[in-house]
Amino acid sequence: MIVDGLPVDLLERELPRLPFIRERLPHAATAVSCFPSTTGPAYFPFLAGASPGRANVPGIRWFDRTVPSRSRFPHRGLRSYVGPDAARMRHDTAVRTILADHAWPASSPVNKDSPKRQERSRDVLWALAHVFHTWSHADRRTAWKLGRGLRKGRPIVFAVFPSVDELGHVYGVEHERVAAALRRIDAHLARKLDGFAGQLVLSADHGLTTTREHLDLRALVEERAGPTLAFPLIALRDPRAVVCESGNGMANVYLRGASGWRERPSAERARELARALAALEGVDSVAIRGEQPDTAELHTRDGRGEVGFAGGRLWQRGPVFGSSFADASPESALASSLGDERPDAAFALTSLLASERAGDLLVSATPGFDLRARREWPEHHASHGALHRAHTLVPVRSSALLPDPPLRTLDVFAHVLELAGVPLERFPDSDAYLLRERRWRPAVARAVRA
Ligand SMILES: [Zn+2]
C-alpha cells in the first residue's frame, strides 16, 4: 500500500488516531526514496526495484535529446505524463514490474506490465477529483479495488491512495483535510482488510512540504540561457533551453549543444548556469554531470560538492555535504549520508544521470518554494521532487519484521517480494537485485529479460 506523498512526520503525528496502521503494521522504519522524489519515477523502486535512472524515467516530464525529430519544436523527444502522454510510460521503460506476474494493481499511477488494459474509470475519477478536489472518492475506490484484488490469485496486491498528496497540493500539508484523509485511509484499511491474514506493508513514494513562494524557473533560465521552453507551451520554434518540472520541487533542465540538440552543452556552460541558479533564493541545489563518467557536481549557495562511482564504489566530498566518504559500498554510502541534508546523494545522482533523458541540470527547490510560477491550476500549496530529506525520506510500516536499517525504498521492494515468496532473482536487472549481489552500477535497463 502506498499513501502517495505521506510525510514521515504526518504519519508520526497522526499515529495515535490510526488504530489499524498502528496495530496491524507495528514495525516501523524510515527509508530514502529516490531522486526525483515524485509520483511516477518514485514508483519504480516499489514496482520494479529500480531507480528512476535505471527505469529511464527521470521525471514526470522529460526530454530525450537523442530522439530524431524535425528541428522545430514540439520535439518528438518531449514527454509529459501529466496528460495524454501518460499511456506512453509503459513503452518508455524496459524495467519489468511486479504487475507482470506477481502483483495485482488495485490502483497504480504506473501501469507498466499491468494486466489491466486501461483503467478508464480510475482515469475519469482522478480527473474529476483534480477539478473538484474529491480525492476521498478516489481513496474509497482504491479500498474497494484492494478488497477485490485479494481474490485475484496473485501473491501481492498493490494499492495506491492518492488523497494525501493531492489534498496537500491544494490546501498545504498542514491543513486538517490532509490529516483527515489519512485517518480515512486507516478506516478504509480496517474495513477492507478485516480478517485478512496475510502480510501488509505501507510506505510512500515521497515527502511533501508546504509551498509559499513560486519561482518561475522557465523565465529565470530564459534570462540566462536564451529562449526557453516549458510545458505546456512546447511549440516554441527554436529554444535554447528546455525546462521539465517534476512534482514542482524539481526540474530537469536541458541546454542545447553548440551544434544542436543532439549534442550536450559543455561542462563549463552547464556549470555556469548551475552556479547562477544555485545562487537564487528558493533554489536548494543544482546538480550537473561531472567531467568523468558516473560523476556529478552539486552546486548550492554554500558551495559545491562532488559525487561519483568507480569500480563498484561510491564517493562523496565537498563542503555542501554533511559527510564525506571514498571507496564506499552503496550500502555504506547510504549509512554514512543518512543524516545529511541530502541523504544518499551519491547513489541518487549517479544512478539518475545514467539516463540520457536526465537533464543537464537537475534543479531542486528549497522547502517553501516551488519552480512553477504560472500556468498551473489549481495553484499548488505543497511540493515535492527535490533531492533534500524533506522530500526523499519516507515512512515504512510493516506487519513483519523489517530488514535492518538503513533502507531505501528499493529495499522495501525486496522486503515485499520476500514476504510474498517471490525470489528477487526474478528481477535480475533491478537495482534491488544488483545491490544484493554487490554488482550494482549506474546504468539504464535496456532489454527485458524473462
Ligand atoms: Zn504530488
Side-chain angles (χ1 to χ4, degrees):
M1 300 169 293
I2 305 295
V3 178
D4 197 294
L6 174 60
V8 173
D9 55 353
L10 176 61
L11 178 60
E12 262 168 30
R13 202 167 61 234
E14 285 300 315
L15 207 55
R17 290 168 289 281
L18 305 171
F20 184 82
I21 293 172
R22 193 180 65 234
E23 285 157 28
R24 188 68 169 78
L25 296 86
H27 303 280
T30 300
V32 178
S33 180
C34 59
F35 181 54
S37 47
T38 192
T39 311
Y43 275 83
F44 285 98
F46 295 116
L47 284 169
S51 62
R54 192 168 303 274
N56 212 9
V57 177
I60 200 76
R61 303 178 180 86
W62 47 260
F63 174 48
D64 188 341
R65 69 199 322 138
T66 67
V67 172
S69 186
R70 294 161 311 165
S71 56
R72 266 194 215 167
F73 277 64
H75 192 286
R76 286 186 50 220
L78 281 167
R79 191 78 84 250
S80 170
Y81 299 123
V82 186
D85 281 353
R88 299 172 73 177
M89 194 194 277
R90 58 164 74 210
H91 306 289
D92 287 335
T93 180
V95 298
R96 200 165 65 92
T97 75
I98 51 173
L99 304 181
D101 297 310
H102 306 293
W104 183 261
S107 64
S108 173
V110 169
N111 59 8
K112 173 74 168 43
D113 304 321
S114 172
K116 297 179 185 172
R117 286 190 63 78
Q118 215 181 356
E119 285 199 85
R120 194 159 295 136
S121 62
R122 189 215 73 163
D123 291 347
V124 169
L125 196 65
W126 289 25
L128 288 173
H130 198 65
V131 178
F132 298 109
H133 309 159
T134 51
W135 289 101
S136 60
H137 299 316
D139 280 355
R140 197 178 312 133
R141 180 176 179 279
T142 290
W144 175 62
K145 292 276 183 181
L146 171 58
R148 286 166 50 112
L150 298 175
R151 299 191 292 273
K152 295 287 182 182
R154 291 191 167 193
I156 303 167
V157 177
F158 186 79
V160 174
F161 293 89
S163 63
V164 166
D165 178 73
E166 297 288 352
L167 293 171
H169 284 306
V170 175
Y171 299 105
V173 193
E174 312 300 330
H175 200 283
E176 168 53 24
R177 285 206 191 201
V178 179
L182 181 58
R183 294 195 293 271
R184 233 172 4 246
I185 291 169
D186 189 79
H188 284 312
L189 295 177
R191 212 160 31 243
K192 287 296 165 187
L193 297 171
D194 180 36
F196 173 67
Q199 302 285 2
L200 298 169
V201 181
L202 182 144
S203 188
D205 54 335
H206 56 76
L208 202 59
T209 53
T210 295
T211 303
R212 292 185 184 86
E213 284 191 58
H214 308 286
L215 290 186
D216 189 348
L217 184 65
R218 192 205 63 79
L220 293 166
V221 171
E222 186 162 84
E223 281 170 27
R224 292 159 178 85
T228 298
L229 175 157
F231 282 93
L233 306 172
I234 57 170
L236 188 67
R237 184 182 266 245
D238 186 23
R240 298 299 166 97
V242 172
V243 171
C244 293
E245 302 103 334
S246 280
N248 288 11
M250 183 272 180
N252 283 280
V253 178
Y254 307 81
L255 296 176
R256 199 174 70 172
S259 69
W261 274 106
R262 290 182 69 97
E263 191 190 329
R264 284 192 191 293
S266 68
E268 198 39 56
R269 199 161 146 248
R271 189 178 295 127
E272 201 179 305
L273 182 58
R275 281 204 193 108
L277 294 177
L280 299 170
E281 195 193 356
V283 173
D284 180 69
S285 71
V286 184
I288 59 171
R289 286 181 174 79
E291 300 199 25
Q292 301 301 315
D294 295 329
T295 66
E297 296 173 12
L298 190 70
H299 295 264
T300 75
R301 283 210 274 178
D302 304 324
R304 107 183 206 182
E306 282 128 43
V307 299
F309 173 88
R313 316 293 276 183
L314 287 162
W315 50 267
Q316 167 173 309
R317 61 179 173 239
V320 305
F321 294 117
S323 64
S324 293
F325 48 84
D327 199 30
S329 68
E331 194 183 356
S332 61
L334 173 62
S336 303
S337 64
L338 204 57
D340 284 13
E341 187 48 38
R342 302 167 192 94
D344 212 23
F347 181 90
L349 293 175
T350 57
S351 64
L352 182 62
L353 289 170
S355 168
E356 285 282 333
R357 296 168 177 170
D360 302 309
L361 294 90
L362 312 173
V363 181
S364 290
T366 307
F369 291 81
D370 74 10
L371 304 174
R372 302 195 78 190
R374 294 181 291 142
R375 308 181 306 269
E376 186 152 68
W377 189 90
E379 187 191 352
H380 274 38
H381 296 287
S383 311
H384 52 84
L387 182 63
H388 53 68
R389 59 191 300 119
H391 292 174
T392 61
L393 288 190
V394 295
V396 185
R397 303 281 305 195
S398 178
S399 59
L401 208 58
L402 282 159
D404 288 335
L407 299 175
R408 299 183 176 95
T409 52
L410 293 167
D411 300 307
V412 175
F413 175 79
H415 176 63
V416 168
L417 290 199
E418 195 183 331
L419 294 179
V422 177
L424 190 53
E425 287 79 356
R426 297 293 298 276
F427 296 86
D429 294 329
S430 68
D431 290 277
Y433 176 76
L434 295 167
L435 285 166
R436 194 191 71 184
E437 297 298 301
R438 305 191 185 287
R439 288 198 282 117
W440 184 85
R441 65 181 191 85
V444 170
R446 295 292 175 194
V448 181
R449 269 191 266 160

